[in-house]
Amino acid sequence: MPARVYLDWNATTPLRPEARAAMAAAWDLAGNPSSVHAEGRQARRLLEDARAALAAAVGAASRNVAFTSSGTEANVLALAPGLRSGARGPVQRLLVSAVEHASVLAGGRFKPEAVRRIAVTTSGVIDLEDLRRQLASGPPALVSIMAANNETGALQPVREAGEIARESGGLLHVDAIQALGKITLNINEIGADLASLSAHKIGGPKGVGALVVAEGLSGLEPLLRGGGQELGRRAGTENVAGIAGFGAAVTAAMAAGNTEARRMEGLRDQLERGLRRSGGLTLFSEQVARLPNTTLFTAPGLKAETAVIGFDLEGIAVSSGSACSSGKVQPSHVLQAMGFDDKIAQGAVRLSLGWSTSEADIDCCLEAWRKLASALLRD
């Protein structure tokens, strides 16, 4: 059977060899990381090494990294009224961009009436003037904006949004889950008070996330109360093996650095040039800065679910919009927020690349698209 081509890296990534090795070593440890004996200290060392790796990757202090069960849990933990930093806050309302992940759009622990959405442009970038207008009236707000959109790949002006939030006495939460390992990310430079991360988007295991908080943030109440793990931010015995894998994956990704990002960007550009040859193609967010690995496109008459199945039958794994909604036949909320009608929003296909994607993979994808385009786009 021919090898399949995996182009759905924004949904989840294969496990990096470094993460697999770190997890295998952790599984052999018997100790609870909260125990003071030698076995417990060994497990604790793995946790703290991983914590330090994540902290270094985003410019934070290790003590300000709290591990969770997922990026979704990290988002919900972050989105809470009562947060404050110095003279700012406590926040009493939540402003989220209209293209956020479902776990952010749901509002976390804010009451529904305290949540408002920030408009975006047709390129999928937040409207900073709309943000400014909404912050101008009302109590201090927590602003939640993703660093990079999981569907279009569009990079958001989080630094500017943070400055606007601070001017109004508010705080900034950044969902950095898609950005980690693909673009440079420093929470101090972008002015983030909180940032959410996830292991399985960067080559770590599923079921592990983290919330990073800036120095001076207070009022963060845990979702889970119990033994006081993670400095009281998240109770429950830590997933030592998963966290060790997360740390190893982050270390490997940081070592690859900009070289890997430039390689993926070159492959993405090659892919998009090939796709355009079919004619009539729409590439979303192509006018703005994007993640180096992400392409979201459609063509007149294309139905995403049909295209995804067609690609799959040709041995290519792709997605229709975000993985969290790919099982539902409904328009992309991201494209709807960008102003596209339902017909277009239901026809978008996402191709996302990773560290093992090759030129041969791109060639296979383009060959599959040529077959599908001739069959699916006929009048």
Side-chain angles (χ1 to χ4, degrees):
M1 181 178 178
R4 287 180 57 83
V5 174
Y6 186 74
L7 296 180
D8 198 17
W9 293 70
N10 283 9
T12 194
T13 61
L15 194 64
R16 289 180 184 267
E18 297 89 344
R20 187 184 301 276
M23 294 172 70
W27 284 322
D28 287 335
L29 297 182
N32 185 314
S34 295
S35 299
V36 297
H37 48 58
E39 289 81 0
R41 294 196 303 273
Q42 282 184 304
R44 172 58 56 184
R45 183 71 265 156
L46 290 185
L47 289 189
E48 298 311 320
D49 286 348
R51 202 185 309 276
L54 265 68
V58 299
S62 292
R63 62 182 174 274
N64 291 330
V65 176
F67 290 110
T68 65
S69 68
S70 63
T72 289
E73 185 189 333
N75 282 339
V76 176
L77 176 60
L79 303 183
L83 296 173
R84 66 185 309 144
S85 180
R88 293 182 287 149
V91 296
Q92 300 174 45
R93 56 190 177 126
L94 174 66
L95 300 182
V96 304
S97 90
V99 295
E100 296 299 309
H101 186 270
S103 61
V104 172
L105 291 175
R109 291 180 277 176
F110 283 87
K111 293 181 179 179
E113 60 267 25
V115 182
R116 294 289 183 272
R117 294 192 183 185
I118 310 159
V120 299
T121 68
T122 55
S123 294
V125 176
I126 64 163
D127 184 337
L128 292 174
E129 287 309 309
D130 184 50
L131 172 62
R132 199 183 301 274
R133 283 192 297 271
Q134 294 202 54
L135 286 172
S137 60
L142 175 63
V143 176
S144 181
I145 299 170
M146 53 177 36
N149 187 261
N150 50 314
E151 294 189 28
T152 66
L155 304 186
Q156 300 295 336
V158 289
R159 186 199 303 266
E160 293 87 343
E163 291 172 355
I164 294 170
R166 284 191 294 277
E167 288 170 2
S168 71
L171 303 176
L172 175 68
H173 165 252
V174 175
D175 178 342
I177 289 168
Q178 286 293 344
L180 182 64
K182 299 170 188 169
I183 61 173
T184 301
L185 187 70
N186 184 296
I187 66 166
N188 297 308
E189 291 179 0
I190 64 177
D193 296 287
L194 308 104
S196 302
L197 308 173
S198 179
H200 77 104
K201 305 291 189 178
I202 195 171
K206 301 171 183 66
V208 185
L211 180 66
V212 184
V213 300
E215 288 290 342
L217 185 80
S218 60
L220 184 66
E221 293 294 327
L223 284 167
L224 299 177
R225 299 178 184 275
Q229 291 89 348
E230 298 301 295
L231 294 178
R233 297 184 179 115
R234 206 270 187 183
T237 301
E238 294 93 343
N239 175 0
V240 177
I243 291 170
F246 195 178
V250 167
T251 299
M254 293 303 105
N258 292 332
T259 300
E260 185 57 38
R262 286 194 296 270
R263 190 189 73 85
M264 285 193 294
E265 186 172 21
L267 290 175
R268 183 202 67 188
D269 292 347
Q270 176 185 335
L271 173 63
E272 292 179 355
R273 286 193 299 270
L275 291 171
R276 282 192 179 96
R277 295 192 186 106
S278 65
L281 203 75
T282 297
L283 285 171
F284 299 101
S285 297
E286 66 172 332
Q287 309 92 340
V288 297
R290 286 179 290 154
L291 290 174
N293 77 317
T294 304
T295 294
L296 184 70
F297 78 96
T298 192
L302 186 66
K303 294 182 178 179
E305 62 268 28
T306 305
V308 169
I309 293 170
F311 272 113
D312 191 41
L313 293 173
E314 291 292 328
I316 318 288
V318 304
S319 177
S320 57
S322 65
C324 295
S325 59
S326 61
K328 305 172 186 175
V329 182
Q330 63 181 18
S332 161
H333 77 277
V334 172
L335 295 182
Q336 287 179 318
M338 291 164 62
F340 293 97
D341 62 34
D342 286 358
K343 189 173 182 180
I344 292 177
Q346 284 179 320
V349 175
R350 184 184 68 187
L351 309 174
S352 48
L353 288 54
W355 63 82
S356 67
T357 304
S358 65
E359 287 193 26
D361 292 336
I362 301 300
D363 291 340
C364 288
C365 180
L366 291 175
E367 178 59 31
W369 172 244
R370 281 189 286 271
K371 295 179 183 178
L372 292 170
S374 64
L376 299 179
L377 306 182
R378 290 183 301 205
D379 292 334

